């Protein structure tokens, strides 16, 4: 169970990527064999890219491999650098939780207006529903890594913890 929780994002990303590959391959196969294409594949692939990006960001946050500008923190004394990284993590978590809240507002708006997708005529909120979960997951993984990083600043990868 611990392995499943520690690698949740990796499993989600793998499933999404495999699904996207299957949908894209099926579209190419049908297009070349019949001269037609599935109209909804672009919609599904775009949604897949969005989800892959969010859950991939959670995976990067868990491993401390997210985008960071370390030039200025590298100039600081070691003990102060740790506090600046902790502050940066706190600000990041705040922004991620704010993004999750705005995504929830977006979903509520999409449900209230009944907007549907162009290709499959599905409610748009089906695609948006995973976004707040993803942002909260990124925030949790950021906190997890920040705690480990604060206690052991030499730590590079906690995925095997």
């Amino acid at each position: 169970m611990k392995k499943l929780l520690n690698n949740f994002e990796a499993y989600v990303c793998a499933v999404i990527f495999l699904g996207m590959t299957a949908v894209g391959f099926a579209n190419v196969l049908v297009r070349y064999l019949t001269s037609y294409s599935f109209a909804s594949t672009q919609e599904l692939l775009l949604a897949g890219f969005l989800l892959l990006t969010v859950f991939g960001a959670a995976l990067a946050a868990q491993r401390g491999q997210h985008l960071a500008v370390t030039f200025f923190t590298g100039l600081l004394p070691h003990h102060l650098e740790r506090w600046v990284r902790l502050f940066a993590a706190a600000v990041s978590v705040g922004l991620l939780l704010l993004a999750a809240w705005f995504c929830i507002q977006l979903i509520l708006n999409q449900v209230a207006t009944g907007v549907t997708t162009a290709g499959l005529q599905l409610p748009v909120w089906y695609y948006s529903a995973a976004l707040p979960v993803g942002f909260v997951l990124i925030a949790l993984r950021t906190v997890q890594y920040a705690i480990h990083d604060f206690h052991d600043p030499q730590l590079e990868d906690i995925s095997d913890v």
Side-chain angles (χ1 to χ4, degrees):
M1 184 66 166
K2 184 178 179 181
K3 183 178 179 182
L4 175 68
L5 291 176
N6 281 341
N7 296 311
F8 177 74
E9 299 90 343
Y11 295 138
V12 171
C13 286
V15 169
I16 292 170
F17 188 72
L18 286 173
M20 290 172 59
T21 302
V23 167
F25 180 73
N27 185 37
V28 169
L29 194 64
V30 168
R31 188 172 60 231
Y32 282 109
L33 292 178
T34 66
S35 298
Y36 294 101
S37 69
F38 294 132
S40 59
T41 56
Q42 181 181 2
E43 181 179 305
L44 292 173
L45 291 175
L46 285 174
F49 277 122
L50 177 66
L51 295 176
L52 194 60
T53 301
V54 172
F55 285 99
L59 185 61
Q62 179 192 29
R63 296 178 178 179
Q65 296 173 339
H66 50 79
L67 181 63
V69 179
T70 58
F71 177 74
F72 293 111
T73 56
L75 297 175
L76 298 172
H78 187 66
H79 69 282
L80 190 57
E81 179 184 351
R82 293 172 69 187
W83 287 102
V84 170
R85 285 197 314 248
L86 189 63
F87 174 74
V91 170
S92 296
V93 167
L95 290 173
L96 288 163
L97 293 177
L98 193 61
W101 185 80
F102 278 115
C103 283
I104 291 170
Q105 299 306 309
L106 170 73
I107 293 166
L108 293 175
N109 187 330
Q110 290 171 340
V111 169
T113 58
V115 180
T116 59
T117 62
L120 293 173
Q121 296 298 307
L122 293 172
V124 173
W125 69 268
Y126 284 5
Y127 298 132
S128 305
L131 291 177
V133 174
F135 283 122
V136 169
L137 190 57
I138 298 169
L140 289 173
R141 295 306 190 178
T142 300
V143 168
Q144 180 185 21
Y145 185 80
I147 290 169
H148 282 47
D149 183 51
F150 187 77
H151 292 298
D152 184 7
Q154 302 303 320
L155 188 63
E156 297 269 333
D157 184 6
I158 64 166
S159 61
D160 56 355
V161 172

